[in-house]
Amino acid sequence: MIRRAVTALALVLSLGALSTAPALAQTVPATAQASAATHVPLTAPDGRAIDVSVWQAANEQGVIVFSHGWNSDPARYHRIIDDWTAHGFTVVAPMHLDSLLHPRHAEADERSVFITRIVDLAVVRGYVQASHPGKPMIAAGHSFGSLNSLMEAGAETVAGPLGDPAVKAVIALSTPGKIPGVINPSTFATVTTPVLIVTGDADLVQGFVTDPADHRFAFDTSAAGGKMLLTFAGGDHSLVGNADAADFGLIAATTVDFMRAHALGDTAAQARLDALTAPGGVTIERR
């Protein structure tokens, strides 16, 4: 897996795939004091240090590999992470080179960040499989991190196929939309893994995503079966961090049931998903 990521590096750099793509500042507002995480130091094949935050579930049922948004950091997502860990899902999240807190952030450019993210996540998945043997793995992410999660589930970008069959489900929080030079019309056609996308009808990224409908592209064009889309009226790109109590409760409960249904084979969770109806201001779609 790591070898494929390194091969993708050569391809991306040779094509200059992200040379025209603007940087995405995806910073989720901190809503309260972040929960403490254990920090695990891992090493990339080129010797680069990867700082990995681990929120350990007391009664672990599965493991979520989480990829933060561009310029953000894992601790910013503690609101949803706390809920996931409380429901039995350990969260393992690398700090990517683009994070404003990364000590080497000044060295980052769009192309290097694209590939180092791929390598980070490949290293982390290897760590998870070694340290949590037998536990189902889920890929989750926000914004650009959700693209990384979809790539782990089989989406084919300019970097080629990098899917990992160990990934049993994907939680995509506010996808980055359609990135020129990276995403093409068939990018998500190869995604057969179950995917839940959460977005809003005000989910915009200034200077980059001008149509909120772009965030549903992965839902509309991926292989049918096990796909679910939640769209919140007024929800913006930081919805996962700033949702009110009712909306956040729906996001949290639905993501947990989705992971239980598709990663753990929990039939009761699947029944709840099938019976879920949209409250006012929310649209639920399934494929």
Side-chain angles (χ1 to χ4, degrees), residues 31-36 55-62 64 66 74-91 138 140 171 173 196 240-241 243-260 264 272:
T31 54
Q33 181 64 38
S35 303
W55 286 268
Q56 179 66 48
N59 181 27
E60 183 181 274
Q61 300 170 50
I64 301 168
F66 185 82
R76 288 250 171 201
Y77 300 88
H78 67 90
R79 188 184 186 193
I80 191 69
I81 287 172
D82 285 351
D83 190 88
W84 288 342
T85 57
H87 287 90
F89 293 94
T90 293
V91 178
I138 300 99
I171 304 297
L173 305 169
L196 168 61
V240 65
D244 64 24
D247 286 349
F248 181 79
L250 178 60
I251 293 168
T254 306
T255 56
V256 166
D257 273 344
F258 195 86
M259 293 187 291
R260 284 177 171 167
L264 307 181
R272 287 192 294 272

Side-chain angles (χ1 to χ4, degrees), residues 5 9 18 24 26 48 50 65-74 77 94-99 109-125 140-149 151-152 162:
L9 167 61
L18 292 181
L24 300 176
Q26 312 300 4
R48 180 175 51 86
I50 306 172
V65 175
F66 185 82
S67 180
H68 63 73
W70 200 289
N71 285 174
S72 194
D73 60 88
Y77 300 88
M95 180 180 287
H96 298 302
L97 188 62
D98 55 276
S99 172
D109 61 37
E110 290 142 359
R111 285 175 289 179
S112 65
V113 167
F114 181 63
I115 193 60
T116 55
R117 277 174 164 264
I118 294 171
V119 174
D120 289 348
L121 292 164
V123 171
V124 168
R125 292 197 308 278
H142 172 244
S143 191
F144 204 95
S146 72
L147 174 60
N148 289 123
S149 300
M151 290 167 66
E152 294 172 85
L162 293 168

Side-chain angles (χ1 to χ4, degrees), residues 29-280:
T31 54
Q33 181 64 38
S35 303
T38 299
H39 289 267
V40 177
L42 299 179
T43 305
D46 64 358
R48 180 175 51 86
I50 306 172
D51 176 50
V52 180
S53 296
V54 179
W55 286 268
Q56 179 66 48
N59 181 27
E60 183 181 274
Q61 300 170 50
V63 181
I64 301 168
V65 175
F66 185 82
S67 180
H68 63 73
W70 200 289
N71 285 174
S72 194
D73 60 88
R76 288 250 171 201
Y77 300 88
H78 67 90
R79 188 184 186 193
I80 191 69
I81 287 172
D82 285 351
D83 190 88
W84 288 342
T85 57
H87 287 90
F89 293 94
T90 293
V91 178
V92 183
M95 180 180 287
H96 298 302
L97 188 62
D98 55 276
S99 172
L100 297 178
L101 299 183
H102 198 289
R104 296 177 59 181
H105 172 78
E107 303 173 27
D109 61 37
E110 290 142 359
R111 285 175 289 179
S112 65
V113 167
F114 181 63
I115 193 60
T116 55
R117 277 174 164 264
I118 294 171
V119 174
D120 289 348
L121 292 164
V123 171
V124 168
R125 292 197 308 278
Y127 163 76
V128 167
Q129 289 180 302
S131 58
H132 302 259
K135 294 298 172 67
M137 189 187 306
I138 300 99
H142 172 244
S143 191
F144 204 95
S146 72
L147 174 60
N148 289 123
S149 300
L150 287 160
M151 290 167 66
E152 294 172 85
E156 294 190 11
T157 66
V158 67
L162 293 168
D164 187 339
V167 172
K168 303 304 181 185
V170 171
I171 304 297
L173 305 169
S174 293
T175 72
K178 303 172 182 178
I179 304 177
V182 176
I183 294 174
N184 60 57
S186 62
T187 286
F188 301 109
T190 48
V191 178
T192 58
T193 304
V195 175
L196 168 61
I197 296 174
V198 180
T199 186
D201 64 8
D203 194 344
L204 304 172
V205 181
Q206 187 174 5
F208 188 60
V209 179
T210 58
D211 184 353
D214 285 356
H215 296 291
R216 62 176 295 136
F217 184 61
F219 173 78
D220 291 331
T221 61
S222 59
K227 305 302 188 297
M228 194 168 180
L229 173 67
L230 269 62
T231 306
F232 289 78
D236 64 15
H237 204 62
S238 295
L239 177 65
V240 65
N242 64 21
D244 64 24
D247 286 349
F248 181 79
L250 178 60
I251 293 168
T254 306
T255 56
V256 166
D257 273 344
F258 195 86
M259 293 187 291
R260 284 177 171 167
H262 294 290
L264 307 181
D266 185 331
T267 55
Q270 184 63 62
R272 287 192 294 272
L273 289 175
D274 292 341
L276 184 63
T277 58

